[in-house]
Amino acid sequence: MHVISSFHYSLHTELAVSGLIEKGINKDMIFIAPLEVRGEERKIFDTIHHADGVSIFDGGAILGTACSTLGVIYGFVLDWGPIIWGLLGFAIGFVVGVLLDYLIGKVRQSKNRRQDSMSEVIIIVQCSMNQVDMVKDYLGDHLALGLTVVP
């Protein structure tokens, strides 16, 4: 039987492996493979083949609509009239909203990159049928991200 688990590389990973060795699993029966971290930049525009679910135009549309409404309301009092002030309000609100979405996305991306800089480790333990439950429980207690058993 093979017990396959994934971990964030940390002290818990080292403790899990050393604990399995202490519990009688032979060192040659444990396979550890670190996964490579991909540092991929987020694309600003989505394509037909790839979309990440984040749009920078949402904030622009919302802020543009709000500023357009305010421009129309106050345009009745101002010199150029409600149509011109409504269009100006929409343009200014849209540009400000897109810039805010872009900047907030950059901040979130840099924060996520720091969190994702931790590599993941895959651990495969080959064990007998009566050791499977012990290995699964032990790996689960040491913060395994996921576990599966392959016969």
Side-chain angles (χ1 to χ4, degrees):
M1 301 291 284
H2 291 90
V3 179
I4 303 171
S5 62
S6 65
F7 287 87
H8 282 301
Y9 184 74
S10 66
L11 181 61
H12 294 287
T13 309
E14 300 286 337
L15 290 173
V17 172
S18 62
L20 287 174
I21 293 171
E22 288 176 5
K23 291 202 180 272
I25 303 294
N26 191 355
K27 192 187 276 189
D28 296 332
M29 299 298 171
I30 301 173
F31 178 74
I32 303 169
L35 298 178
E36 186 177 309
V37 176
R38 295 182 59 186
E40 190 174 301
E41 282 287 321
R42 192 182 90 184
K43 295 183 170 111
I44 294 176
F45 296 108
D46 293 338
T47 64
I48 234 173
H49 302 291
H50 173 73
D52 58 0
V54 178
S55 173
I56 63 170
F57 294 114
D58 291 346
I62 292 168
L63 203 57
T65 302
C67 290
S68 173
T69 303
L70 291 174
V72 168
I73 291 170
Y74 291 110
F76 283 107
V77 179
L78 299 173
D79 286 338
W80 292 347
I83 294 175
I84 298 296
W85 283 108
L87 291 174
L88 283 173
F90 178 77
I92 292 169
F94 185 79
V95 169
V96 170
V98 167
L99 288 175
L100 283 175
D101 267 354
Y102 179 73
L103 294 175
I104 289 171
K106 281 292 188 187
V107 169
R108 284 185 185 157
Q109 185 179 11
S110 67
K111 190 183 295 185
N112 288 341
R113 184 176 294 143
R114 280 182 279 162
Q115 291 173 352
D116 291 342
S117 65
M118 293 189 329
S119 179
E120 277 193 34
V121 178
I122 302 296
I123 298 177
I124 302 173
V125 180
Q126 184 178 356
C127 58
S128 64
M129 190 90 118
N130 58 357
Q131 293 176 319
V132 169
D133 290 333
M134 181 269 302
V135 170
K136 279 178 60 177
D137 291 340
Y138 199 77
L139 292 175
D141 290 343
H142 284 84
L143 305 177
L145 296 174
L147 285 165
T148 189
V149 177
V150 179

